[in-house]
Each structure stands twice: as structure tokens, then as C-alpha cells.
Amino acid sequence: EQLKGAVTFEHVSFRYPGMSTYVLKDISFHIRPGETVAILGSTGAGKSSILQLIPRLYDPTEGAVYVDGMNLKDVKMDDLRKRIGFTPQESILFSGTVEENLAWGKSDATLSEMKAAAQDAQIHETITDLKDGYETKLGQKGINLSGGQKQRLSVARALIRKPNILILDDSTSALDLQTESKVLDAIDKYKCTLFIVTQKLSTAKRADKIMLIDDGKIIEEGTHDQLMNTSTLYREIAYS
Ligand code: DCP
């Protein structure tokens, strides 16, 4: 039962454990395998909350999430972990070598797999320029990377697993337009379903579907061209 990457939300409402207010309110959508979804919305709208439900960091309070028609609750955690690449908003790197950080979660990754993923994430050259290349230590007793470098390293780490579903939660925000576009071109080759939180119009433009999120709801959805025609709000974002 190989996952292909279709993702369905069916009437999903969600509140964080112990909280009384719903941060997601009756969210439904269907994404086909291989589609790119750009998620836009102001801070606190619920973008990360939606995405966290896909790798089951949380379960919906009401409704259900399906991957390839299977309720996530019936999918083995191990299968999910192998098939879903998730880069959280704050890249999580630990004190260890670049190589160790890249292989985190996939300890059998070979150096050539790491290099290929790093090339796709546009971080390979930065790594080879470091004192000890892939063996350079990061963190407290090692070298500090810039925000954009950390983001690219996290993307590389996610790509190593060749995920069917890749979730980039604002993980390209520190990249310039050109670098982001190179990363996205490389991700296209993986043919995975891609969810990307972004503020960049250039990224929204290339998406098969854009979702505008506000106050825990999808308030608009469509392609860039469709939304330019139908959505005043989207046009405001596009021209801002
Ligand atoms: N929230 C919460 N507990 C958490 C995380 C979030 O109560 N552990 C709340 C804060 C917001 C709402 O949930 O009111 C939605 O938060 P999200 O992080 O999902 O919102 P965004 O991802 O859209 O915001 P940002 O762009 O700032 O990341």
C-alpha cells in the first residue's frame, strides 16, 4: 500500500489540546497526487495548523484527514514518516555535523543521496565551501548558518527521503526569488505533492491550487489566473 500523495480534508475542525477556541473551522479540500498547493494568509490565520495535521503532529478535533483515501488514523506511523517530508517554520538543526543533520530521520542515507538532495535544495555549494565540508560541525561549538542556509538544509533533509508529500511551512521565506525558484524547479522533479506556505507571488503563480486562509477557514481557492479574476482580496495581495 504505497502512498501516492493525494490529500483530503473532510470537514476538519481543530483546536489545540486544552484550548477552547477553534483555530480551524470546517476545512475541506482534495489535492491530487503531484499537485502543488500554495497556502497564503496573514499571521495566525491557521496555515501551520492545517499542515501539522498531515504528518499527524495533531489529529483533527472533528472531521478527518485522508491520504490516498486512507484515514490517517489507519495509516501506520512508520509509513507516514517515510512518505511525508515536513519542514517546520523554525528549522530544527542540532549540534552535529552537516552530514548528521542531513541524515536525521534517515540514518541509512548515503553521502551521494545527501549531496543530491543538497544540490536540489541549493545548499551543496555552501556546504562544500565550509571548512570541513559535509563534516563541518554546526551549532554551539561549530559554525552558525544564516536563516536561509538553515532553511535550505532543512529542505535538503526532507528531500533525502524522496517523500510523496512534501510540506514546506514557510521554509523558503528567507530565500531570494531566484534561489526559491531553483529549489522549486528541483522539487518538481520529485513529482511529489507539495504544500508550501509562502508570501511570494512567484511561488503562488506556479501552484496548481492557491488556498487563501483567514481565521481558520479557506476563504478563496483557485489558480493564480482564476483568483486574479474572481478575488478582490487576492488581487490586493498580488498588487501589494
Ligand atoms: N496556536 C495555538 N497553539 C499552538 C499554535 C498556534 O493556540 N501551539 C494558535 C495561534 C493562532 C492559531 O492557533 O491563533 C493559528 O496559528 P497558526 O500557527 O496555525 O497560524 P499561521 O501559520 O497562519 O500563522 P504564521 O504565519 O504566523 O505562522
Side-chain angles (χ1 to χ4, degrees):
E1 32 154 3
Q2 178 120 345
L3 301 180
K4 294 194 188 73
V7 178
T8 307
F9 273 51
E10 208 174 76
H11 298 295
V12 168
S13 294
F14 176 65
R15 51 190 154 93
Y16 283 93
M19 306 291 274
S20 56
T21 46
Y22 279 86
V23 298
L24 299 179
K25 301 161 189 169
D26 198 17
I27 301 254
S28 295
F29 61 78
H30 177 70
I31 305 301
R32 289 191 291 267
E35 283 188 322
T36 293
V37 186
I39 302 190
L40 279 71
S42 51
T43 176
K47 304 182 295 297
S48 301
S49 301
I50 293 176
L51 296 181
Q52 286 176 12
L53 300 180
I54 302 172
R56 282 195 76 189
L57 295 177
Y58 295 97
D59 286 327
T61 314
E62 279 140 45
V65 179
Y66 298 84
V67 171
D68 295 322
M70 279 177 290
N71 191 321
L72 278 188
K73 290 188 164 176
D74 300 326
V75 181
K76 286 198 212 92
M77 274 318 247
D78 220 36
D79 285 342
L80 266 192
R81 234 196 1 244
K82 278 187 212 140
R83 297 294 166 194
I84 298 181
F86 177 77
T87 65
Q89 209 164 12
E90 297 283 328
S91 342
I92 301 168
L93 299 178
F94 54 87
S95 308
T97 64
V98 170
E99 214 175 294
E100 286 165 341
N101 270 283
L102 281 171
W104 184 74
K106 191 179 190 308
S107 46
D108 60 347
T110 64
L111 188 58
S112 74
E113 284 175 325
M114 291 188 214
K115 284 183 178 165
Q119 259 152 0
D120 289 337
Q122 308 298 311
I123 190 69
H124 173 71
E125 275 163 34
T126 309
I127 298 170
T128 51
D129 282 347
L130 297 173
K131 188 167 69 74
D132 299 315
Y134 279 78
E135 279 157 40
T136 307
K137 281 206 161 44
L138 302 180
Q140 282 165 346
K141 290 190 178 148
I143 195 156
N144 284 310
L145 297 176
S146 74
Q149 289 168 336
K150 282 185 194 160
Q151 287 186 335
R152 282 177 281 159
L153 209 56
S154 312
V155 172
R157 176 197 275 160
L159 288 177
I160 285 173
R161 299 154 179 243
K162 301 196 169 62
N164 298 110
I165 300 170
L166 178 61
I167 300 167
L168 304 181
D169 187 356
D170 237 354
S171 309
T172 52
S173 57
L175 308 188
D176 59 73
L177 293 179
Q178 239 189 341
T179 308
E180 174 154 336
S181 134
K182 281 188 195 161
V183 172
L184 293 176
D185 286 344
I187 290 174
D188 279 346
K189 291 184 302 178
Y190 287 72
K191 309 251 178 258
C192 55
T193 306
L194 172 65
F195 289 87
I196 181 165
V197 173
T198 185
Q199 308 217 29
K200 295 191 179 94
L201 195 63
S202 56
T203 301
K205 270 185 186 166
R206 53 191 293 162
D208 300 296
K209 185 179 260 178
I210 298 164
M211 289 184 196
L212 266 183
I213 311 296
D214 187 44
D215 191 25
K217 293 186 285 269
I218 300 174
I219 51 166
E220 304 277 7
E221 60 186 302
T223 62
H224 170 81
D225 289 342
Q226 286 165 350
L227 292 182
M228 284 302 277
N229 279 321
T230 58
S231 168
T232 317
L233 186 62
Y234 185 76
R235 278 196 298 272
E236 275 171 22
I237 296 171
Y239 293 131
S240 66

